[in-house]
DNA sequence: ACCGTGCGTTACTGACGGTAACACCAGTCT
DNA sequence: AGACTGGTGTTACCGTCAGTAACGCACGGT
């Protein structure tokens, strides 16, 4: 009896500790970028390295735990925009804007999520295991959006496959355009959102050629 | 007179040496991935580290030189597809296919180009310099495509700005979809190309809602 | 009193990026 | 010929970082 109560107390204490460590890691990563050292994170948490390793295994584990929190937060924000009661175009614009607002207000978080150094690449080399290198966030967003599209849009036969392709494609578009925009700031967020939605709405196909040379 | 001839001979010799080193580096990177060590590259070239550093400054310099070669090659292939004499839709599909074929046949190169570890981030931290973290290849492709669109497509006023946005957006779409496809291989290359072109052609806007819940 | 378990430490290894300091060997200048 | 210069190459080192023993300490259960 006393055993189980003690074990439970220890478990919850461990969980709280883990959260504290994650918050400390968060602060350091936000300050130093993705190349924050384990020593620095441990120091910020007021402890030393081996504890971090006992909690998270290795650096990849810590970063994965950290990324999961932020990814979940972003994902739920996007889901809210995606589920708003409005026309499809409006919802697409709201989703784009939500994503862009997120990366605009917290660029360090975004940077960390999209560029996890070389985490999950221990010794699985051999042959062609390519594909795991892109940020897991992009994959997850792509899959998620693909599911939503498949659920709600009528794409005829092969709907499932096409929806997934579109999900990843749209997420990639959003990401690359947002990344570039964040660096150069060539226009307002609203303009960017509008232009990307226009692209998705087929304005490229509808636009006329310009004189001189073959039109794109 | 003798001076200039000697200097020139030395210059060409240095250039040839540089090319040899780059080829050795290429072999190692293709074998070990982007985290290939300077020691390994030097060993492959039959020399030792300091020589590499004299030629390329630092690891980032070597990787930049290496990336430039491959980027140039890919870019010229894409330009060819972009300039073919055909309808716009056909040219878009050809460009997508060219890119996907390139990453399919040489995934290691692709992986290296898109994931240059944390190269150009020496001490420029401070504030919000975000944006430099994504692969330079993506930026370059995006700018390039944006220029082509601006040159050839009539987008009305603000054509310049919108073309750049679209350039980066399309490249990002291509990249993310290709990256995902390369990992899961859920369909043939041709199907992927067709689906992405359909997306760009506005099929998302035109598709009907599916019963149950608000359409996307 | 005894012991196990979990938290915490110090001190180390091994690998890596990067850098002196030095050696050698051509051709060049006097 | 003999000193000078510039490029190629080396060995041996530094600082940093991820990751790992090995040990100490405190606590609750028996």
């Amino acid at each position: 009896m006393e055993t189980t109560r003690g074990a439970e107390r220890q478990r919850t204490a461990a969980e709280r500790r883990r959260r504290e460590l994650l918050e400390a890691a968060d602060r350091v990563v936000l300050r130093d970028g993705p190349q924050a050292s384990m020593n620095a994170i441990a120091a910020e948490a007021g402890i030393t390295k081996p504890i971090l390793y006992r909690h998270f295994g290795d650096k990849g584990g810590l970063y994965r735990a950290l990324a999961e929190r932020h990814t979940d937060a972003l994902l739920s924000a996007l889901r809210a925009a995606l589920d708003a009661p409005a026309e499809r175009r409006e919802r697409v614009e709201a989703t784009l804007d939500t994503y862009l607002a997120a990366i605009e207000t917290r660029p360090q978080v975004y940077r960390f999520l999209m560029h996890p150094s070389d985490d999950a690449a221990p010794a699985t080399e051999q042959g062609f295991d390519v594909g795991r290198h892109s940020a897991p966030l992009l994959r997850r967003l792509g899959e998620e959006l693909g599911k939503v599209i498949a659920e709600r849009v009528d794409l005829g036969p092969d709907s499932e496959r096409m929806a997934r392709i579109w999900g990843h494609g749209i997420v990639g578009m959003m990401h690359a355009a947002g990344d570039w925009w964040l660096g150069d700031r060539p226009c307002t967020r609203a303009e960017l959102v509008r232009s990307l939605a226009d692209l998705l709405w087929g304005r490229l196909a509808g636009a006329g050629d310009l004189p001189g040379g073959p039109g794109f």
Side-chain angles (χ1 to χ4, degrees), chain A:
Chain A
M1 189 58 177
E2 200 61 14
T3 316
T4 65
R5 195 160 52 192
E8 180 164 347
R9 196 173 50 210
Q10 278 194 353
R11 213 196 61 225
T12 64
E15 283 173 6
R16 217 186 46 224
R17 197 83 182 96
R18 187 186 161 97
R19 269 204 306 276
E20 288 172 13
L21 296 184
L22 276 178
E23 275 158 28
D26 220 349
R27 286 194 296 273
V28 177
V29 166
L30 249 63
R31 171 159 44 80
D32 295 355
Q35 74 279 7
S37 80
M38 292 298 263
N39 257 325
I41 294 174
E44 170 73 27
I47 45 136
T48 50
K49 273 193 299 177
I51 305 181
L52 282 183
Y53 283 97
R54 280 221 265 268
H55 272 274
F56 301 102
D58 62 350
K59 189 170 185 170
L62 203 176
Y63 277 36
R64 240 175 289 124
L66 211 50
E68 207 162 319
R69 282 160 48 114
H70 287 118
T71 303
D72 289 347
L74 177 55
L75 239 164
S76 73
L78 289 178
R79 260 195 271 262
L82 220 39
D83 283 341
E87 288 299 311
R88 188 182 296 168
R89 164 91 188 210
E90 253 178 272
R91 274 202 309 285
V92 168
E93 291 197 3
T95 307
L96 289 170
D97 193 64
T98 300
Y99 174 83
L100 294 172
I103 72 171
E104 184 181 25
T105 58
R106 304 180 55 175
Q108 304 280 14
V109 173
Y110 158 72
R111 177 178 196 146
F112 164 70
L113 286 179
M114 294 304 183
H115 189 38
S117 273
D118 338 48
D119 51 359
T124 67
E125 310 294 337
Q126 205 60 29
F128 297 73
D129 68 338
V130 188
R132 300 284 162 278
H133 69 290
S134 195
L137 170 56
L138 277 186
R139 293 294 186 99
R140 222 176 128 192
L141 289 181
E143 283 296 320
E144 213 72 32
L145 181 55
K147 252 186 274 176
V148 171
I149 295 178
E151 276 170 14
R152 307 190 188 172
V153 181
D154 182 11
L155 294 175
D158 249 346
S159 179
E160 163 83 23
R161 184 170 52 70
M162 178 123 46
R164 287 183 71 190
I165 294 175
W166 285 12
H168 288 279
I170 293 173
V171 166
M173 181 199 79
M174 195 168 72
H175 164 242
D179 187 17
W180 161 74
W181 171 74
L182 207 54
D184 296 17
R185 290 302 178 100
C187 61
T188 69
R189 204 171 77 211
E191 286 169 331
L192 179 58
V193 167
R194 216 176 111 64
S195 299
L196 289 177
D198 277 354
L199 177 58
L200 287 176
W201 251 250
R203 260 192 76 185
L204 174 61
D209 288 355
L210 226 43
F216 172 64

